[in-house]
Amino acid sequence: MSFLLMVLLTGCWNRLELNELSVIIGTSIDWQEDKYHVSFQVINPSAISTQTGGGGGGNSPISVFSTSGTTVLEAIQKINLESPRTPFFAHNRVLIISENLAKEKGISEVIDFFLREGETRETMDIALSKGDPRDILEILLPQEKISANGIDQMFRKTEDNLSAVKRIRLSEFAKSFVSSSANAIAPEITIKGKDGEQQSSLDALKKTTKSTVLKIGDIGVFKKGKLAGWLDQNESKGINWINNEINNTVIPFSCSENEETTSTFQVERSKTKIKPIIKEDKIIIQAKIKPEGVLQETGCNMDLTQPQYIQKLEKEIEKQIEVDIYTTWEAAKELQADVFQFGSKIHAKYPKEWKKLKPDWDQKLTEIELKLTINASVERTGMINDPFEKIMGE
């Protein structure tokens, strides 16, 4: 028995040592001249281990390689033309897709490859770029040695602290295309500043002012596997409200309809309930939203110890949320894109009716009547009751 076990337990036949791997932390894909152009952000272990600060050491913490091929896999396998190590995707944090690829070629083949690849993280972030996505991978960030980690943290913090832009992961992105609505969204990552080339040099990290930074930009809207258009951040605010994905956000609002003075309401929790109704060939979506939070700042000349003034502020908050949602709704109807996933909700409640609606859903979507019921609740007003401007005048 022992002899047989010795024959069977021969170790890992396909093992690779760490010094034989190129640990890929970020990937970008473009489509040019009928070929996939794939770039890889690879960790330089020696530079990471020797650096103690953003600009310490003599080597960059990352290297960027680019290859091309008629398929994604062919391009990836060509990495060994530039790197002596085997690509390792298990730590890939972000996949950046170019606008040209998303519009012209579509992303079905790209998603197919990464879903089949056994090493791929299903939780990696999906992002879009209006320019060459390789440029984004080359940017060095002052607070993160590895910029792909920085991009991942940007999406994470924006989702957690602002709820302005939803973080889209590979599994969720793929799932959206096979839902009843067959629409998906993904955020843009963009380069802002004077000179992106300067920010790819280690010398840039030694300066207190950065010439170039990475920022989250617009929201790309997909229909049937291709990019249909863009929503700017003002046009996309309503998506998270309807989809019940508000975790923590701030709402600037006016004290009253005719006043320019603004206040800020911080949402600490929110709940949205969606109810689709089909009545006499008319589609109605009822959305009930209940945000709760705290008044963080105000210039309104009101006695906030009086309930009637709190109620007045709550009405103004509700109006602002309503404006944000309807702005998104009008922009989505122009694109004929179901960014709110109303089709999935109708399918779940009215499966028979959905079979009739599905073939012409793009057109039917624009005919939906969206009814909002918003009940905001200001639970606290902070450490002081009166606005400080009023306190100074007393």
Side-chain angles (χ1 to χ4, degrees), residues 172-193:
E172 183 180 3
F173 190 60
K175 185 178 178 181
S176 297
F177 287 109
V178 297
S179 68
S180 300
S181 302
N183 291 155
I185 59 173
E188 175 203 9
I189 192 78
T190 183
I191 301 173
K192 296 291 185 180

Short mmCIF file of all heavy atoms in Angstrom, two decimals, residues 172-193:
data_model
loop_
_atom_site.label_atom_id
_atom_site.label_comp_id
_atom_site.label_asym_id
_atom_site.label_seq_id
_atom_site.Cartn_x
_atom_site.Cartn_y
_atom_site.Cartn_z
N GLU A 172 -20.77 40.30 -12.30
CA GLU A 172 -21.99 41.12 -12.39
C GLU A 172 -22.17 41.68 -13.80
O GLU A 172 -23.28 41.75 -14.32
CB GLU A 172 -21.89 42.26 -11.38
CG GLU A 172 -23.11 43.15 -11.32
CD GLU A 172 -22.96 44.25 -10.30
OE1 GLU A 172 -21.87 44.34 -9.68
OE2 GLU A 172 -23.91 45.02 -10.12
N PHE A 173 -21.07 42.08 -14.42
CA PHE A 173 -21.11 42.62 -15.77
C PHE A 173 -21.64 41.57 -16.74
O PHE A 173 -22.52 41.85 -17.56
CB PHE A 173 -19.69 43.05 -16.16
CG PHE A 173 -19.59 43.84 -17.43
CD1 PHE A 173 -20.25 45.06 -17.56
CD2 PHE A 173 -18.81 43.40 -18.49
CE1 PHE A 173 -20.15 45.81 -18.73
CE2 PHE A 173 -18.69 44.14 -19.65
CZ PHE A 173 -19.36 45.34 -19.77
N ALA A 174 -21.12 40.35 -16.64
CA ALA A 174 -21.57 39.27 -17.52
C ALA A 174 -23.03 38.92 -17.26
O ALA A 174 -23.81 38.67 -18.20
CB ALA A 174 -20.69 38.04 -17.31
N LYS A 175 -23.43 38.90 -16.00
CA LYS A 175 -24.80 38.56 -15.64
C LYS A 175 -25.80 39.55 -16.22
O LYS A 175 -26.91 39.17 -16.61
CB LYS A 175 -24.93 38.51 -14.12
CG LYS A 175 -26.28 38.05 -13.62
CD LYS A 175 -26.32 37.99 -12.10
CE LYS A 175 -27.68 37.59 -11.59
NZ LYS A 175 -27.71 37.56 -10.09
N SER A 176 -25.42 40.83 -16.30
CA SER A 176 -26.33 41.84 -16.82
C SER A 176 -26.72 41.58 -18.27
O SER A 176 -27.85 41.85 -18.68
CB SER A 176 -25.69 43.24 -16.70
OG SER A 176 -25.46 43.58 -15.36
N PHE A 177 -25.79 41.03 -19.05
CA PHE A 177 -26.07 40.80 -20.46
C PHE A 177 -27.03 39.63 -20.69
O PHE A 177 -27.67 39.55 -21.74
CB PHE A 177 -24.77 40.54 -21.22
CG PHE A 177 -23.94 41.76 -21.40
CD1 PHE A 177 -22.75 41.92 -20.71
CD2 PHE A 177 -24.33 42.78 -22.26
CE1 PHE A 177 -21.97 43.05 -20.87
CE2 PHE A 177 -23.56 43.91 -22.42
CZ PHE A 177 -22.38 44.05 -21.73
N VAL A 178 -27.11 38.73 -19.74
CA VAL A 178 -28.00 37.58 -19.91
C VAL A 178 -29.29 37.75 -19.11
O VAL A 178 -30.09 36.83 -19.02
CB VAL A 178 -27.30 36.26 -19.50
CG1 VAL A 178 -26.12 35.99 -20.41
CG2 VAL A 178 -26.84 36.30 -18.05
N SER A 179 -29.49 38.93 -18.51
CA SER A 179 -30.74 39.21 -17.81
C SER A 179 -31.83 39.52 -18.83
O SER A 179 -31.57 39.63 -20.03
CB SER A 179 -30.56 40.40 -16.85
OG SER A 179 -30.36 41.59 -17.59
N SER A 180 -33.04 39.68 -18.37
CA SER A 180 -34.15 39.97 -19.27
C SER A 180 -33.94 41.28 -20.01
O SER A 180 -34.29 41.41 -21.19
CB SER A 180 -35.46 40.02 -18.47
OG SER A 180 -35.70 38.79 -17.83
N SER A 181 -33.35 42.26 -19.33
CA SER A 181 -33.15 43.57 -19.96
C SER A 181 -31.99 43.57 -20.95
O SER A 181 -31.98 44.34 -21.90
CB SER A 181 -32.89 44.62 -18.88
OG SER A 181 -33.97 44.68 -17.98
N ALA A 182 -30.99 42.70 -20.72
CA ALA A 182 -29.82 42.57 -21.61
C ALA A 182 -29.05 43.88 -21.75
O ALA A 182 -28.45 44.15 -22.78
CB ALA A 182 -30.23 42.04 -22.98
N ASN A 183 -29.08 44.72 -20.73
CA ASN A 183 -28.32 45.97 -20.70
C ASN A 183 -27.34 45.93 -19.54
O ASN A 183 -27.59 45.29 -18.53
CB ASN A 183 -29.24 47.18 -20.54
CG ASN A 183 -30.11 47.44 -21.76
OD1 ASN A 183 -31.16 48.04 -21.66
ND2 ASN A 183 -29.68 46.98 -22.93
N ALA A 184 -26.22 46.62 -19.71
CA ALA A 184 -25.21 46.67 -18.65
C ALA A 184 -24.60 48.06 -18.61
O ALA A 184 -24.70 48.83 -19.57
CB ALA A 184 -24.13 45.61 -18.89
N ILE A 185 -23.95 48.37 -17.50
CA ILE A 185 -23.24 49.63 -17.36
C ILE A 185 -21.84 49.36 -16.83
O ILE A 185 -21.59 48.33 -16.21
CB ILE A 185 -23.97 50.61 -16.42
CG1 ILE A 185 -24.14 49.99 -15.02
CG2 ILE A 185 -25.32 51.03 -17.00
CD1 ILE A 185 -24.71 50.95 -13.99
N ALA A 186 -20.93 50.29 -17.09
CA ALA A 186 -19.56 50.20 -16.56
C ALA A 186 -19.01 51.61 -16.47
O ALA A 186 -19.27 52.45 -17.34
CB ALA A 186 -18.69 49.32 -17.45
N PRO A 187 -18.23 51.90 -15.42
CA PRO A 187 -17.68 53.25 -15.26
C PRO A 187 -16.44 53.48 -16.11
O PRO A 187 -15.71 52.55 -16.45
CB PRO A 187 -17.33 53.30 -13.76
CG PRO A 187 -17.03 51.88 -13.41
CD PRO A 187 -17.92 51.03 -14.28
N GLU A 188 -16.21 54.74 -16.42
CA GLU A 188 -15.02 55.14 -17.16
C GLU A 188 -13.92 55.54 -16.19
O GLU A 188 -14.18 56.16 -15.16
CB GLU A 188 -15.34 56.33 -18.06
CG GLU A 188 -14.13 56.91 -18.79
CD GLU A 188 -14.32 58.35 -19.21
OE1 GLU A 188 -15.32 58.98 -18.80
OE2 GLU A 188 -13.45 58.86 -19.94
N ILE A 189 -12.69 55.18 -16.50
CA ILE A 189 -11.53 55.69 -15.78
C ILE A 189 -10.77 56.58 -16.77
O ILE A 189 -10.53 56.18 -17.92
CB ILE A 189 -10.65 54.55 -15.22
CG1 ILE A 189 -9.61 55.09 -14.24
CG2 ILE A 189 -10.02 53.73 -16.30
CD1 ILE A 189 -10.18 55.41 -12.89
N THR A 190 -10.45 57.78 -16.35
CA THR A 190 -9.87 58.73 -17.28
C THR A 190 -8.65 59.41 -16.69
O THR A 190 -8.48 59.45 -15.46
CB THR A 190 -10.92 59.80 -17.68
OG1 THR A 190 -10.37 60.69 -18.64
CG2 THR A 190 -11.38 60.59 -16.47
N ILE A 191 -7.81 59.95 -17.55
CA ILE A 191 -6.61 60.66 -17.12
C ILE A 191 -6.90 62.15 -17.16
O ILE A 191 -7.31 62.70 -18.18
CB ILE A 191 -5.42 60.34 -18.05
CG1 ILE A 191 -5.13 58.83 -18.04
CG2 ILE A 191 -4.18 61.11 -17.62
CD1 ILE A 191 -4.09 58.41 -19.05
N LYS A 192 -6.68 62.83 -16.03
CA LYS A 192 -6.88 64.27 -15.95
C LYS A 192 -5.55 64.92 -15.57
O LYS A 192 -4.87 64.48 -14.66
CB LYS A 192 -7.92 64.61 -14.88
CG LYS A 192 -9.32 64.09 -15.19
CD LYS A 192 -9.94 64.83 -16.37
CE LYS A 192 -11.38 64.39 -16.58
NZ LYS A 192 -12.00 65.09 -17.73
N GLY A 193 -5.20 65.98 -16.29
CA GLY A 193 -3.97 66.68 -15.96
C GLY A 193 -3.26 67.19 -17.18
O GLY A 193 -3.78 67.15 -18.31
#
